[in-house]
Amino acid sequence: GENVEQHPSTLSVQEGDSAVIKCTYSDSASNYFPWYKQELGKGPQLIIDIRSNVGEKKDQRIAVTLNKTAKHFSLHITETQPEDSAVYFCAANTGYALNFGKGTSLLVTP
Amino acid sequence: GAVVSQHPSRVICKSGTSVKIECRSLDFQATTMFWYRQFPKKSLMLMATSNEGSKATYEQGVEKDKFLINHASLTLSTLTVTSAHPEDSSFYICSAAGQGTEEPQHFGDGTRLSIL
């Protein structure tokens, strides 16, 4: 089955710096790659997604890149703010189901 | 848009009780709903996938008689934890998606289940 690896598991940055989270996947049939932000005690919130027919997508301070040949995709957050602190999960689809990475705990310090 | 409401947010009950959790898509029709379980500081573990009007598909190792899933309409799915025991204590989260393998899954805010 699909195996999604996510790194790093924890990331601490200073406010204003950039944060990058990287994921790899194993199933070459995967064609949908969402990123979720989860705050304590809440459900995951979709922040950006990318489909296999594009290599990059940007939404304000958040961008995602996809390299289908290498089977890896990355989340980039620029100008980080304390409210960006949360756990971030990448995922890759297998049919209708999503396979999640183990999460990255991001801490943005003022 | 794409709001998913999950109730209750927290349940504390005695061992042997059955607990029902509801998941509703408020502003879109959810062809498929998913139920996950999440342990502290861990990733989401898919329990089952349900399509409106048909039986749920359970992941390996998930007891279908223990975790009853009903998806009676395009906006409502329920998960019933039958005869719950302390080991069933966890954070249960649902998600809902429209038709298609590239449709985003939108998550509810989860249910914290504590069995005494």
Side-chain angles (χ1 to χ4, degrees):
Chain A
E2 173 78 277
N3 183 36
V4 178
E5 299 282 341
Q6 182 172 348
H7 298 281
S9 57
T10 60
L11 180 59
S12 183
V13 299
Q14 282 203 314
E15 182 176 2
D17 288 349
S18 295
V20 180
I21 303 170
K22 298 183 178 182
C23 288
T24 61
Y25 62 99
S26 59
D27 186 354
S28 56
S30 294
N31 57 4
Y32 176 63
F33 309 90
W35 286 87
Y36 289 88
K37 174 184 180 182
Q38 186 177 26
E39 297 175 336
L40 196 62
K42 298 271 191 178
Q45 177 190 7
L46 179 68
I47 56 172
I48 196 167
D49 56 13
I50 191 167
R51 292 168 174 80
S52 59
N53 57 343
V54 298
E56 186 173 354
K57 183 176 177 181
K58 189 174 181 180
D59 183 3
Q60 298 181 21
R61 297 186 297 110
I62 296 173
V64 59
T65 59
L66 171 66
N67 183 327
K68 281 220 75 179
T69 303
K71 295 196 187 73
H72 65 71
F73 55 114
S74 301
L75 177 72
H76 304 252
I77 306 174
T78 58
E79 300 171 35
T80 54
Q81 301 166 4
E83 50 265 38
D84 294 330
S85 298
V87 178
Y88 291 80
F89 291 98
C90 65
N93 74 318
T94 299
Y96 290 96
L98 289 177
N99 304 283
F100 287 85
K102 292 188 175 180
T104 296
S105 180
L106 173 65
L107 177 65
V108 181
T109 54
Chain B
V3 178
V4 175
S5 175
Q6 187 173 340
H7 291 281
S9 58
R10 180 161 187 128
V11 179
I12 302 173
C13 58
K14 293 181 179 179
S15 186
T17 307
S18 291
V19 178
K20 181 186 279 189
I21 303 169
E22 288 190 350
C23 181
R24 294 180 184 272
S25 57
L26 298 186
D27 52 2
F28 68 103
Q29 293 190 324
T31 307
T32 309
M33 286 187 169
F34 305 84
W35 288 95
Y36 295 84
R37 185 171 180 176
Q38 187 176 33
F39 293 100
K41 297 187 179 181
K42 296 290 185 183
S43 190
L44 290 85
M45 182 187 78
L46 180 64
M47 298 174 66
T49 302
S50 74
N51 290 292
E52 184 262 339
S54 59
K55 289 185 178 180
T57 302
Y58 290 80
E59 295 299 302
Q60 192 172 10
V62 178
E63 299 176 58
K64 60 181 180 181
D65 295 331
K66 175 76 171 175
F67 299 99
L68 300 177
I69 292 171
N70 184 276
H71 191 165
S73 76
L74 283 171
T75 59
L76 174 64
S77 177
T78 60
L79 167 68
T80 301
V81 184
T82 61
S83 187
H85 288 94
E87 58 267 28
D88 298 323
S89 298
S90 194
F91 192 52
Y92 293 88
I93 317 174
C94 72
S95 71
Q99 195 168 17
T101 60
E102 297 180 20
E103 283 300 305
Q105 285 188 31
H106 300 282
F107 285 81
D109 268 342
T111 297
R112 173 72 58 195
L113 177 62
S114 300
I115 307 298
L116 306 177

